[in-house]
Amino acid sequence: MSIDIPTDTLRELVRHPDDFQREVILAMYEANEITSGKACEILGLDVQAWDMLRRARRLRGAYGVEDLESDVRTLKELGRL
C-alpha cells in the first residue's frame, strides 16, 4: 500500500503527530488494511466517536464479520448489549 501525501501536508502532519497517526489509520481503514474495531482501538475511540469520524470523513472501509464481532464486543464492554 502506498499513500501520496503532498509535501506541505506532510510538514503540517509532522508538527502534529497525533493528526498524522489518525490520517494513517484512516487511510489504512479505507484501504481495508485494518478493521473498524482495530481503528477504534488504535485511535482510542469508542464506537460512537468512530462512527461520527467515519461519517464526517465519508469513509467506506469494508465492514465484515470481524467488524461486527468487534463492535459487539465493544458494545458489551460498554454495557450497551
Side-chain angles (χ1 to χ4, degrees), residues 1-17:
M1 176 173 130
S2 65
I3 301 172
D4 293 324
I5 303 173
T7 303
D8 291 341
T9 302
L10 184 58
R11 282 189 190 114
E12 190 62 28
L13 291 173
V14 169
R15 288 187 197 119
H16 305 284

Side-chain angles (χ1 to χ4, degrees), residues 7 10 20 23 29 31 51 78:
T7 303
L10 184 58
F20 183 72
E23 295 306 315
Y29 171 76
D51 194 47
L78 295 173

